Amino acid sequence: MSIIDALSVENLSFAYGKKKALDNVSFAVGSGQCNILLGPNGAGKSTLFALITRLYDSREGKITLCGYDIKKQSRLALAQLGVVFQQTTLDPDLSVLQNLRYHAALHGLNGKIARQRIEEELTRLDMFERRKEKVRHLNGGHKRRVEIVRALLHKPQLLLLDEPTVGLDVPSRKAIVKHVHSLAEDYGLAVFWATHLIDEIYSEDFLTVIHQGRVKANGDINTVLALTGADNIHQAFAQLTGREAA
Amino acid sequence: MSFLHYWRAMWGIIGRELWRFVRQKERFISALVRPLVWLFVFAAGFRAALGIAIAPPYETYILYEVYITPGLIGMIQLFNGMQSSLSMVYDREMGSMRILMVAPLPRWFLLLCKLIAGTAVSILQVYVFLTIAWFYEIQVSWVGYLWVLPALMLSGMMLGALGLLLSSFIKQLENFAGVMNFVIFPMFFMSTALYPLWKLKESSELLHNLAMYNPFSQAVELIRFALYEQYNEYALIYTSVAFVIFIAIAIVGYNPSKGMMVRKGRG
């Protein structure tokens, strides 16, 4: 039986000039799976995200989203993808609603469906009351929530998050971590989440550890622990990368 | 279904750009003050110094303010085109450009929409400027105000495409001051915006040639003739060709595998 993975990366390499940022990277993220991408700074996480979102093209290797090749069928592939970038990408001078409507338009949603989904998703994250506020006036945690809402409007199969909790206070961080995990569990959404904060990992998550452009480990937590012979993820991470985790 | 997607995305992009422009009052005011200062101060001062002979599309002697008006319209569009490109660089640094680029639509289409949106903003500015100029007794016929619209669309797209092209090559926001010095000023001064070609020829053959081949000059001439309900074929073709060349290079510049984006990468 073959099930199409939400995200599949095969033999991917990428270099900036002569400096290799990714070296023969392969892994997959299945539906309903929350896969945590761990790696120290400069490991190649951002490059990997830039390639998956097609900011750059790789010359070597292949990325498919729900079976669609990102280079050859980029529009079909990108339609499956919801992204929360590391930096906030909302327009601060527009209201929450305007930002979300803009995104809905880019994905070709009609007015009625857009309105419905915006209300649904905002309500789910307790943000509906704030829909008319300017993004500039929201705090960091609320901005992140709006970005998650935005990433889900077109009902993607894969949610990509690039260190979305950086700079947030502990309660906001916990709320977001919990919400994203529930998306994978309740709706079968595939989640690929880059972070360097180990306390954001749940015991049922999958891990992909990347270091110096190479995948050092990939699998569920027990597999990774067995591979390294470590007692916990902190130790496993330190062994794989030679660094302490946060 | 697919057509509707394109249609909605286009209006989404244009709507956002117009709304942002209207909200940014400072930008609106400064976009207007610049040409108005030139009109009220510079042109008024030069009125006595510069005699303008009768040359098409003008049929009578004209005041220098009248001559300079199409040039100032071009200036509005030139600045607007560059400002749009500045906002592209800003968007890219801030990340909102990435949201646009991950939309499931072809990149050339997204860039074209950005361009149309920027041009719409510049046309809005031009008509407000023309309204103020009308009260200053720089007036053309009502038909002229309509004739100029397609000319403005083309010139706006051409100058916007130039901005887009530059934005794909500018690495960081700080480099934008260079655009000011090396693109906007030379393009504006070495053109027919301020002086007619024959006048330039009197002072320097080189300057005359530079102005003649400057696409900005042709955009200005296109606007100038259209305001007087005339059609300047050479200017139309020249501006169209410049547009096609600029947009083609810009699209390559934003192509994920061929363009400059790869070299900008970090991490």
Side-chain angles (χ1 to χ4, degrees), chain B residues 8-84:
Chain B
R8 287 179 189 133
M10 187 180 84
W11 283 107
I13 294 168
I14 295 175
R16 173 176 180 261
E17 212 68 26
L18 283 174
W19 179 259
R20 257 165 53 135
F21 176 70
V22 174
R23 299 294 297 221
Q24 293 171 338
K25 290 187 190 69
E26 301 83 12
R27 188 177 151 199
F28 192 32
I29 290 166
S30 73
L32 276 175
V33 164
R34 198 179 302 116
L36 287 174
V37 166
W38 278 82
L39 185 65
F40 295 150
V41 182
F42 180 84
F46 267 68
R47 180 194 284 184
L50 274 168
I52 305 283
I54 299 172
Y58 305 108
E59 286 157 3
T60 54
Y61 280 105
I62 48 156
L63 287 174
Y64 186 57
E65 287 100 317
V66 174
Y67 178 82
I68 203 180
T69 297
L72 296 179
I73 293 174
M75 179 199 226
I76 293 174
Q77 292 199 303
L78 179 66
F79 267 91
N80 191 75
M82 297 306 133
Q83 195 132 28
S84 304

Side-chain angles (χ1 to χ4, degrees), chain A residues 16 47 53-57 59 75 85 87-89 91 94 98 102 105-110 134 150, chain B residues 5-6 8-9 12 16 19-20 23 93-96 98-100 102 104 106-107 256-257 261 265-267:
Chain A
Y16 298 105
T47 306
T53 54
R54 214 167 169 258
L55 189 67
Y56 317 142
D57 264 351
R59 290 179 187 89
R75 280 154 56 199
F85 290 108
Q87 287 170 313
T88 170
T89 53
D91 195 324
L94 301 186
Q98 283 171 322
Y102 173 62
L106 287 179
H107 281 267
L109 301 182
N110 79 34
K134 260 195 188 183
R150 179 175 65 179
Chain B
H5 185 174
Y6 281 73
R8 287 179 189 133
R16 173 176 180 261
W19 179 259
R20 257 165 53 135
R23 299 294 297 221
E93 287 203 342
M94 293 300 137
S96 54
R98 294 183 80 173
I99 284 298
L100 187 70
V102 293
R107 262 192 206 175
S257 54
M261 305 294 280
R266 281 166 297 180

Side-chain angles (χ1 to χ4, degrees), chain A residues 22-64:
Chain A
L22 291 177
D23 189 6
N24 204 19
V25 168
S26 298
F27 64 91
V29 182
S31 303
Q33 202 182 83
C34 192
N35 194 314
I36 310 286
L37 176 68
L38 280 177
N41 289 333
K45 295 195 299 273
S46 300
T47 306
L48 184 58
F49 271 61
L51 289 167
I52 298 172
T53 54
R54 214 167 169 258
L55 189 67
Y56 317 142
D57 264 351
S58 63
R59 290 179 187 89
E60 291 170 55
K62 189 174 168 187
I63 299 171
T64 54

Side-chain angles (χ1 to χ4, degrees), chain B residues 158 161-162 165 215 236-248:
Chain B
M158 188 273 279
L162 177 66
L165 181 162
L236 177 72
I237 293 170
Y238 202 102
T239 312
S240 309
V241 170
F243 166 65
V244 171
I245 293 172
F246 293 158
I247 187 88

